[in-house]
Amino acid sequence: MNINRRRLFSGVLAAVLAAATLSACSTDSSTTPATATPGAALRAGSGANTSLGPIKKIDAGVLSVAYAEFGPATGQPVILLHGWPYDAYSYADVGPLLAAAGYRVLVPFLRGYGETTFLSAQTVRNGQQSAIARDIIDFMDALHIDKAVLGGFDWGARTVDIIAALWPQRVKAMVAVSGYIITQQAAQQQPLAPEAELGWWYQYYFATERGRLGYNRNRHDFNKLIWQRASPAWNFDDATYDRSATAFDNPDHVDIVISNYRWRLSLAPGEPQYDAYEQQLATGPAITVPAITIGSDFDGAVKDGKPYAAKYTGKHEHRILDGIGHNVPQEAPHPFAQAIIDADRL
């Protein structure tokens, strides 16, 4: 496939994915009947653990990274990545399941979340995708981990895709909820159908200073609303949400979130040191490492994974979790943990 065709495919793919996922994200939870419990069997074990254990910290790159760790130090490393507006508690149940299977599980808080902080006040609070991916490579280096199994959803899945594309030698296998979601800024400039555009409401809001102020002032209730709309059939309680909500009190959280979404729409600059990475990602690179992708109700028309299946050119399986929303590892911990184990064996 030549570069022009790859770019064309990437643009079309990005538009299809955006239309489907954003439409799903805009689903009103009030339309779900109170008696319906879609995905109930898949949710077995969700909420079984309410603690991440002692939070550790390590200097890595530009950050002091806070992270949870489960399992034996000698186990095969697994690094699990959360998204927005979530945190490491998305893996509170997955971590112990994998630890019981002998894995060493590491769950870092991304830049702008929890106790993860910048080492210097002068570092740009940049939320662009390749900066976050570089953070995880630096995290692996700091822990002397040459290769790991990676898994994630939302920003975490995007980060896993990017690391697998740019640093495949560091990835033994991977699991990505929603599949291939690497951002390509050129494709982001193309308009979608009106119903799909409606799903972008929060990104348009974040593009304004009113949105920055509103998010800063109301981040607790704002993010709870996102949880409800992204996972309308998941009846999480206040205690579950509040455990994660403390991560949004990070002093850099608002800056990172606003930067991330403005950068996607080319409304905020990235940093020059990441330009080479973004140029590679703009070509829509294939992912060659063993991979399992997961589609949930959040993914709408692309739940079956067919539009992006060709992007995974190594061993690849796709799984569909009907009745599960966006936060797959927290909603369906056993299926997600099994995907990690199975990906490791591909």
Side-chain angles (χ1 to χ4, degrees):
M1 182 181 290
N2 63 41
I3 295 297
N4 287 335
R5 288 185 64 193
R6 287 172 68 181
R7 286 177 176 168
L8 175 61
F9 173 80
S10 298
V12 172
L13 174 62
V16 171
L17 293 176
T21 58
L22 289 171
S23 176
C25 187
S26 64
T27 299
D28 186 344
S29 61
S30 66
T31 63
T32 302
T35 57
T37 55
L42 296 174
R43 290 193 174 88
S46 178
N49 297 285
T50 59
S51 173
L52 295 173
I55 299 300
K56 302 181 178 182
K57 298 194 79 171
I58 191 168
D59 289 353
V62 300
L63 299 174
S64 172
V65 179
Y67 65 101
E69 183 167 359
F70 307 87
T74 56
Q76 164 64 49
V78 173
I79 299 175
L80 302 176
L81 305 175
H82 67 83
W84 172 86
Y86 305 95
D87 79 326
Y89 273 100
S90 290
Y91 299 100
D93 296 317
V94 171
L97 291 173
L98 292 175
Y103 289 94
R104 179 191 183 191
V105 183
L106 303 152
V107 189
F109 289 81
L110 300 184
R111 58 168 61 190
Y113 294 80
E115 296 179 42
T116 292
T117 56
F118 287 88
L119 296 173
S120 171
Q122 281 68 53
T123 303
V124 176
R125 273 42 177 176
N126 175 10
Q128 77 181 102
Q129 61 180 1
S130 57
I132 296 171
R134 183 70 239 187
D135 289 344
I136 303 307
I137 293 295
D138 291 337
F139 177 66
M140 293 175 68
D141 289 345
L143 290 170
H144 306 291
I145 295 173
D146 292 329
K147 183 176 285 192
V149 178
L150 302 182
F153 73 105
D154 196 80
W155 291 16
R158 179 172 294 109
T159 303
V160 169
D161 283 332
I162 291 170
I163 294 173
L166 299 184
W167 295 279
Q169 72 278 11
R170 307 300 297 270
V171 183
K172 186 173 188 288
M174 59 167 281
V175 173
V177 175
S178 301
Y180 193 92
I181 52 174
I182 294 173
T183 295
Q184 295 167 287
Q185 286 181 307
Q188 293 285 305
Q189 299 305 305
Q190 298 303 311
L192 304 172
E195 185 176 357
E197 292 285 12
L198 180 63
W200 288 98
W201 69 272
Y202 58 92
Q203 299 201 43
Y204 294 137
Y205 185 61
F206 289 162
T208 68
E209 285 309 300
R210 175 187 171 114
R212 175 193 285 273
L213 178 62
Y215 185 60
N216 186 45
R217 184 177 296 170
N218 303 303
R219 67 184 85 171
H220 181 280
D221 292 345
F222 191 104
N223 289 341
K224 190 172 186 179
L225 175 64
I226 296 294
W227 277 40
Q228 292 166 339
R229 295 177 73 85
S231 299
W234 179 33
N235 296 316
F236 60 87
D237 58 22
D238 287 344
T240 296
Y241 175 73
D242 289 342
R243 278 191 290 274
S244 289
T246 60
F248 314 142
D249 293 331
N250 182 297
D252 300 308
H253 179 75
V254 173
D255 286 343
I256 295 300
V257 171
I258 297 300
S259 168
N260 180 282
Y261 287 107
R262 290 186 182 181
W263 176 86
R264 292 193 203 185
L265 296 177
S266 300
L267 298 175
E271 292 181 271
Q273 64 264 38
Y274 303 111
D275 286 351
Y277 299 146
E278 296 298 346
Q279 288 166 9
Q280 293 179 66
L281 296 174
T283 68
I287 292 175
T288 60
V289 306
I292 291 178
T293 52
I294 296 175
S296 72
D297 288 359
F298 178 84
D299 299 312
V302 296
K303 181 195 288 191
D304 62 8
K306 292 180 180 178
Y308 54 72
K311 304 301 287 184
Y312 296 90
T313 59
K315 295 179 180 179
H316 173 231
E317 294 180 8
H318 184 74
R319 299 179 179 182
I320 298 173
L321 301 182
D322 291 321
I324 300 299
H326 193 35
N327 185 357
V328 168
Q330 196 164 5
E331 294 182 59
H334 281 277
F336 188 90
Q338 191 62 54
I340 292 288
I341 294 169
D342 293 343
D344 183 36
R345 296 170 178 171
L346 283 179

